[in-house]
């Protein structure tokens, strides 16, 4: 009797550190953040008033917020597409390598080990010092300046840098997924005369489905909450063309002294991510091999 | 049974470990337990420029010799304005910090009782009156020790000017003439950092649109408009004209890249803040450069952007012994000989009485500032949220090649959108 109780409570006790830490640093922070979003706190003043949904109404009418959401949406879309396609191609080709597989894998994993800020600073220099001479040599007007200087190309340039780093981890996860596919199935497929594409479509793809879900969720989340690349490469410019929601929240909170407004923006972002993740998990849980 | 007992012991230990780590360290004093009466205070210093950090380091080292029991720990971070705001928001205020007393944000901090009143300190009398007058808070009290002034001006390459027989312009017309002269010789007349358009916007607006900041402040308060304002139209046209003489890749160039390019002789002039001097010297110690005000139509209407540089303040929330240590340091800094040393190393013009400025080619500009028209930074009159949004508006005007009329309309819109309601 006692031993049973001990054993049961033990497993619970093991989860306790995580539960406490999570409550302290995450759940509590979320609740306080939501609470602040209904106030007019500027981040410095000792007092603040509750103003109901005023911040949310103001955001609804703020063209900058809408633009920021659109920029974030575009960013996330390009990032997800780029990361998923590239990492899947990379994983398939790396997995079929016969020699130097480990070495090549580690080469492709290298960017993941450098901090985003460092990568941004390097690419910023590449963009401004390497692109213009190429543009002049080829006489392409669009390349006369750093792509970060064009409102049209800046977002693409930032996403390219982000993709360059972000493909590493999904590639690794995909490779792990690929290795879980039983080789007999491919053999059977070949005997039945299935083409390479059909073998991918009907054998590899279903087995990869759970992995794709994980990678998709991660990529969408990192796209929507992205901040570091855009902030270090462009600071949200030129003309707010890369002003993702993360930058807007940061600036409103710590530069523009609209702390409560920044919290309202975060709450909206939180809801968007929650809804997207929910839909995504629902959709991709159908089909595939589990 | 034994296995589960072991498991529970491990789990309890793990839990206690987590809880201990969460606990606050309440032990008094600090790492210097050897000297029980010594105190270490953090000095949050906002200016990341190498020369300025170096000057503070030297002065702190001297200070420690005189007061061995006070340890000043200078902390300089990237993006300091925002970091400091976040530390105020979380009630983690550094006992000693630099901040900008003329800005509305600083006055907000004073209003909420975060900053120690220094009005009665004897060193307040040691400060250049003209700059001291810029700093009082809303209650008329002084809450910081202003230590240096800053300015935005045209830095010019003395060798390039001499080799091409170019004279320093004193009117806008002459300035454009100078640009044309350099352009005809294949030298980039002016290097603009339009990626960081902010300070270029502030400098040109204050130079070409006298009274413009006050106009924008009115719009922020819901009165009047910029659209149709002739002074602003002139400013807009001149700003665009400058870009015609600028480097081709201006929109991709940051402030730091501009300083490097100027240091390497790639352009004859830049519009730079005084804070750029140290970086230019660092990039090329041999470069000879001077400064002159960005001229308006006549010498009489020329106005230089000049304000109080980061000033030193003490947190009102600090412990009494921390406050005392910080105050001792401020008293030390305000000595003329210390301020002189700091100014010599940092290259920043000190505003402590009894100091002289060591950089001769920059002296004429300081003389102009002392005797001519001067205007403070925009955020002393307009909330900084609006000022930074105007940067993006200005970038849009130049990149999209909008008409000046459209630009003025956009300025109105930006101010109204971001004004405190």
């Amino acid at each position: 009797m006692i031993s049973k109780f001990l054993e049961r409570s033990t497993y619970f006790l093991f989860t306790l550190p995580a539960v406490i830490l999570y409550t302290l640093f995450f759940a509590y922070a979320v609740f306080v953040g939501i609470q602040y979003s209904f106030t007019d706190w500027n981040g410095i003043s000792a007092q603040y008033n509750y103003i109901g949904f005023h911040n949310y109404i103001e955001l609804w009418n703020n063209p900058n917020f809408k633009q920021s959401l659109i920029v974030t949406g575009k960013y996330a879309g390009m990032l997800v597409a780029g990361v998923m396609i590239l990492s899947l191609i990379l994983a398939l080709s790396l997995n079929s390598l016969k020699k130097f597989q480990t070495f090549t894998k580690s080469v492709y994993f290298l960017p993941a080990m450098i901090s985003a800020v460092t990568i941004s600073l390097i690419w910023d220099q590449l963009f401004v010092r390497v692109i213009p001479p190429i543009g002049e040599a080829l006489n392409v007007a669009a390349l006369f300046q750093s792509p970060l200087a064009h409102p049209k190309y800046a977002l693409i340039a930032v996403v390219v840098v982000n993709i360059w780093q972000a493909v590493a981890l999904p590639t690794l996860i995909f490779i792990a997924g690929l290795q879980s596919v039983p080789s007999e199935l491919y053999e059977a497929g070949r005997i039945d005369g299935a083409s390479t594409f059909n073998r991918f479509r009907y054998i590899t793809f279903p087995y990869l489905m759970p992995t794709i879900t994980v990678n998709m969720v991660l990529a969408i989340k990192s796209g929507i909450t992205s901040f570091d690349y855009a902030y270090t490469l462009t600071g949200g410019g030129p003309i707010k063309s890369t002003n993702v929601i993360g930058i807007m929240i940061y600036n409103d909170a710590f530069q523009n002294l609209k702390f409560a407004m920044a919290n309202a923006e975060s709450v909206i972002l939180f809801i968007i991510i929650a809804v997207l993740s929910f839909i995504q998990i629902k959709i991709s849980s159908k089909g595939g091999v589990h | 049974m034994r296995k589960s007992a072991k498991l529970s012991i491990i789990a309890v230990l793990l839990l206690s470990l987590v809880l201990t780590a969460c606990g606050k360290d309440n032990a008094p004093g600090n790492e210097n337990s050897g000297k029980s009466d010594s105190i270490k205070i953090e000095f949050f210093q906002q200016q990341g420029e190498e020369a300025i950090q170096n000057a503070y380091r030297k002065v702190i080292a001297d200070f420690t010799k005189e007061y061995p029991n006070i340890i000043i720990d200078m902390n300089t971070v990237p993006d300091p304005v925002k970091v400091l705001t976040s530390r105020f928001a979380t009630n983690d205020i550094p006992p000693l910090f630099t901040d900008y007393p003329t800005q509305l944000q600083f006055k907000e901090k004073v209003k909420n009782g975060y900053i120690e009143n220094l009005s009665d300190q004897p060193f307040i009398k040691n400060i250049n009156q003209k700059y001291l007058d810029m700093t009082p808070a809303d209650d008329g009290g002084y809450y910081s020790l202003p230590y240096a002034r800053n300015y935005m001006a045209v830095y010019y390459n003395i060798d390039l000017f001499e080799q091409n027989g170019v004279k320093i312009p004193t009117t806008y017309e002459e300035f454009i003439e100078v640009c044309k002269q350099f352009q005809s010789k294949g030298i980039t007349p002016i290097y603009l950092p339009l990626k960081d358009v902010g300070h270029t916007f502030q400098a040109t607006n204050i130079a070409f649109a006298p009274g413009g900041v006050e106009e924008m402040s009115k719009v922020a308060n819901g009165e009047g408009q910029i659209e149709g304002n002739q002074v602003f139209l002139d400013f807009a046209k001149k700003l665009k004209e400058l870009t015609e003489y600028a480097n081709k890749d201006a929109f991709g160039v940051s402030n730091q890249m501009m300083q490097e390019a100027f240091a390497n002789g790639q352009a004859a002039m830049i519009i730079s803040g005084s804070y750029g001097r140290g970086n230019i010297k660092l990039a090329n110690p041999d470069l000879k450069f001077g400064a002159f005000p960005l001229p308006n139509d006549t010498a009489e209407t020329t106005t230089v952007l000049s304000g109080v540089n980061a000033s030193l303040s003490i947190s009102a929330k600090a412990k009494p012994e921390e406050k005392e240590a910080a105050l001792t340091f401020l008293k030390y800094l305000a000595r003329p000989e210390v301020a002189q040393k700091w100014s010599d190393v940092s290259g920043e013009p000190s505003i402590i009485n009894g100091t002289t400025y060591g950089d001769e080619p920059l002296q004429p500009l300081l003389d102009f500032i002392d005797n001519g028209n001067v205007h403070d930074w925009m955020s002393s009159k307009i909330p900084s949220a609006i000022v930074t949004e105007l940067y993006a508006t200005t970038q849009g005007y130049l990149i999209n090649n909008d008409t000046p009329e459209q630009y003025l309309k956009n300025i109105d819109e930006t101010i109204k959108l971001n004004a405190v309601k």
Side-chain angles (χ1 to χ4, degrees):
Chain A
M1 181 69 191
I2 297 170
S3 96
K4 199 146 202 188
F5 170 75
L6 258 180
E7 205 171 305
R8 280 198 170 175
S9 59
T10 303
Y11 292 120
F12 173 69
L13 278 178
F14 267 112
T15 64
L16 214 50
V19 169
I20 289 176
L21 287 176
Y22 188 81
T23 320
L24 258 179
F25 294 109
F26 186 77
Y28 174 72
V30 168
F31 282 117
V32 173
I34 294 174
Q35 185 200 336
Y36 277 133
S37 74
F38 295 108
T39 70
D40 62 355
W41 193 39
N42 66 7
I44 291 181
S45 67
Q47 272 134 20
Y48 51 82
N49 308 305
Y50 283 91
I51 52 168
F53 282 91
H54 183 83
N55 287 331
Y56 292 93
I57 296 167
E58 208 165 297
L59 278 181
W60 180 257
N61 296 322
N62 185 344
N64 285 344
F65 184 65
K66 271 178 210 155
Q67 193 230 7
S68 201
L69 282 180
I70 293 170
V71 168
T72 311
K74 279 188 198 164
Y75 189 108
M78 287 194 276
L79 184 75
V80 170
V83 164
M84 295 306 285
I85 294 170
L86 270 178
S87 59
L88 192 56
I89 294 173
L90 270 178
L92 287 170
S93 32
L94 283 174
N95 202 40
S96 60
L97 270 186
K98 297 284 181 293
K99 277 178 184 172
F100 305 115
Q101 211 193 65
T102 321
F103 173 76
T104 323
K105 267 189 223 164
S106 45
V107 168
Y108 279 95
F109 194 68
L110 219 56
M113 305 199 303
I114 313 170
S115 94
V117 175
T118 315
I119 286 179
S120 303
L121 292 176
I122 294 170
W123 276 87
D124 187 28
Q125 292 296 313
L126 284 178
F127 280 142
V128 78
R129 296 193 200 272
V130 178
I131 301 278
I134 295 176
E136 268 168 48
L138 301 176
N139 207 12
V140 182
L143 299 180
F144 281 173
Q145 296 209 0
S146 157
L148 297 174
H150 283 273
K152 261 190 210 158
Y153 312 127
L155 190 65
I156 300 172
V158 173
V159 175
V160 164
V161 177
N162 195 342
I163 290 175
W164 184 78
Q165 179 175 46
V167 288
L169 203 63
T171 308
L172 224 60
I173 299 176
F174 273 137
I175 291 175
L178 284 174
Q179 280 162 357
S180 72
V181 186
S183 54
E184 305 89 70
L185 290 180
Y186 287 121
E187 215 173 305
R190 245 179 245 120
I191 293 169
D192 288 345
S195 65
T196 316
F197 176 76
N198 278 342
R199 283 203 300 271
F200 174 77
R201 169 70 189 83
Y202 294 105
I203 302 172
T204 317
F205 194 70
Y207 268 93
L208 275 186
M209 210 47 207
T211 335
I212 290 175
T213 308
V214 171
N215 281 339
M216 275 282 250
V217 171
L218 288 179
I220 291 176
K221 193 206 125 263
S222 85
I224 292 177
T225 58
S226 72
F227 167 78
D228 32 16
Y229 297 96
Y231 193 74
T232 27
L233 281 168
T234 61
I239 340 178
K240 290 182 181 289
S241 58
T242 57
N243 201 34
V244 290
I245 192 88
I247 294 182
M248 186 166 180
I249 292 171
Y250 179 66
N251 283 341
D252 271 347
F254 300 121
Q255 171 184 288
N256 302 343
L257 293 190
K258 295 182 192 162
F259 213 90
M261 186 70 80
N263 270 310
E265 290 158 15
S266 315
V267 170
I268 293 177
L269 184 64
F270 173 74
I271 294 170
I272 293 174
I273 295 176
V275 169
L276 279 179
S277 306
F278 183 77
I279 295 173
Q280 222 251 312
I281 290 170
K282 275 279 161 211
I283 291 175
S284 51
S285 63
K286 292 173 195 159
V289 180
H290 287 272
Chain B
M1 165 74 202
R2 284 199 62 185
K3 191 183 159 203
S4 63
K6 251 188 206 165
L7 267 176
S8 21
I9 290 169
I10 295 173
V12 170
L13 280 179
L14 202 65
L15 184 63
S16 64
L17 197 74
V18 170
L19 291 179
T20 334
C22 289
K24 209 177 170 192
D25 183 12
N26 284 324
N30 44 42
E31 306 86 61
N32 317 292
S33 46
K35 292 173 266 169
S36 58
D37 55 344
S38 78
I39 180 163
K40 182 173 176 178
I41 56 169
E42 181 194 350
F43 170 33
F44 186 90
Q45 201 277 105
Q46 294 210 29
Q47 288 177 287
E49 289 83 8
E50 197 46 48
I52 295 172
Q53 288 200 52
N54 205 8
Y56 273 118
R57 259 183 236 122
K58 287 217 161 99
V59 171
I60 289 170
D62 291 348
F63 173 79
T64 314
K65 274 180 214 150
E66 203 171 315
Y67 297 94
N69 55 347
I70 300 177
I71 295 152
I72 307 282
D73 187 18
M74 183 167 71
N75 179 18
T76 302
V77 300
D79 227 349
V81 176
K82 289 172 190 166
V83 172
L84 189 63
T85 309
S86 78
R87 290 187 62 172
F88 270 84
T90 51
N91 230 339
D92 172 32
I93 310 170
L96 177 63
F97 58 93
T98 62
D99 208 345
Y100 298 89
T102 60
Q103 294 189 357
L104 299 176
Q105 272 209 24
F106 184 84
K107 289 172 183 164
E108 184 70 26
K109 290 170 191 161
V110 169
K111 226 186 277 169
N112 285 289
Y114 290 127
I115 299 175
E116 198 75 352
N117 192 332
L118 302 176
S119 305
D120 298 331
Q121 295 302 327
F123 56 69
I124 291 292
K125 294 189 191 70
N126 287 3
I127 302 159
N128 180 328
Q129 195 63 38
K130 189 172 180 176
Y131 285 91
L132 189 63
D133 288 345
M134 291 181 177
T135 65
D138 294 341
D139 62 359
Y142 299 109
Y143 289 82
S144 68
L145 164 66
Y147 208 46
R149 53 181 156 186
N150 54 26
Y151 55 79
M152 291 292 298
V154 182
Y155 279 172
Y156 68 99
N157 185 322
I158 294 178
D159 286 341
L160 282 178
F161 266 61
E162 279 174 1
Q163 283 159 19
N164 295 289
V166 178
K167 275 204 198 107
I168 293 175
T170 53
T171 65
Y172 182 73
E173 212 174 310
E174 285 174 25
F175 184 75
I176 292 299
E177 203 49 49
V178 166
C179 288
K180 282 184 180 149
Q181 267 175 287
F182 280 116
Q183 204 171 42
S184 68
K185 284 173 179 152
I187 299 166
T188 305
I190 184 158
Y191 212 88
L192 288 179
L194 297 182
K195 187 179 179 187
D196 299 336
V197 75
H199 285 182
T200 309
F201 163 66
Q202 292 216 27
T204 49
N205 184 271
I206 282 166
F208 301 146
V213 181
E214 284 67 23
E215 286 298 317
M216 291 192 283
S217 170
K218 272 191 210 159
V219 179
N221 293 326
E223 307 156 19
Q225 58 175 32
I226 302 300
E227 194 184 343
N229 184 321
Q230 190 55 45
V231 178
F232 268 84
L233 275 176
D234 291 345
F235 148 71
K237 283 174 195 156
K238 284 172 184 164
L239 179 59
K240 187 162 275 175
E241 192 171 15
L242 286 190
T243 61
E244 289 165 21
Y245 299 100
N247 43 317
K248 261 195 274 175
D249 57 349
F251 291 107
V253 168
S254 66
N255 257 323
Q256 199 181 340
M257 285 157 69
M258 168 193 76
Q259 291 157 1
E260 276 169 30
F262 179 70
N264 297 326
Q266 286 175 36
M269 298 177 281
I270 56 173
I271 300 171
S272 173
S274 44
Y275 48 79
R277 179 189 173 279
N279 283 350
I280 296 168
K281 291 255 171 206
L282 206 67
N284 182 2
D286 301 326
L287 182 82
K288 284 202 292 179
F289 64 97
F292 61 83
L294 183 61
N296 199 6
D297 293 337
T298 60
E300 289 73 43
T301 56
T302 294
T303 309
V304 170
L305 168 54
S306 175
V308 174
N309 213 351
S311 312
L312 295 104
S313 289
I314 300 174
S315 161
K317 307 279 178 197
K319 293 181 201 138
E321 62 270 23
E322 288 176 332
K323 282 187 197 174
E324 203 191 304
L327 198 58
T328 313
F329 183 58
L330 291 199
K331 283 178 185 159
Y332 178 83
L333 282 180
R335 294 182 196 167
E337 70 274 15
V338 176
Q340 184 66 56
K341 178 167 187 176
W342 182 86
S343 173
D344 289 343
V345 179
S346 68
E348 300 282 292
S350 174
I351 43 174
I352 300 295
N353 291 331
T355 55
T356 53
Y357 193 52
D359 197 337
E360 212 182 303
L362 299 181
Q363 191 60 49
L365 181 80
L366 296 185
D367 293 341
F368 181 94
I369 291 174
D370 282 337
N371 306 310
N373 303 325
V374 170
H375 195 288
D376 201 350
W377 296 85
M378 285 180 179
S379 46
S380 63
K381 290 269 161 51
I382 311 171
S384 52
I386 296 179
V387 178
T388 45
E389 291 295 324
L390 285 173
Y391 294 172
T393 309
T394 306
Q395 220 171 24
Y397 164 56
L398 297 173
I399 291 182
N400 296 339
N401 215 357
D402 288 338
T403 59
E405 289 76 14
Q406 184 61 43
Y407 175 42
L408 301 202
K409 246 187 224 174
N410 294 347
I411 290 181
D412 276 330
E413 261 171 40
T414 304
I415 296 176
K416 281 176 194 153
L417 182 65
N418 292 286
V420 182
K421 277 146 200 146

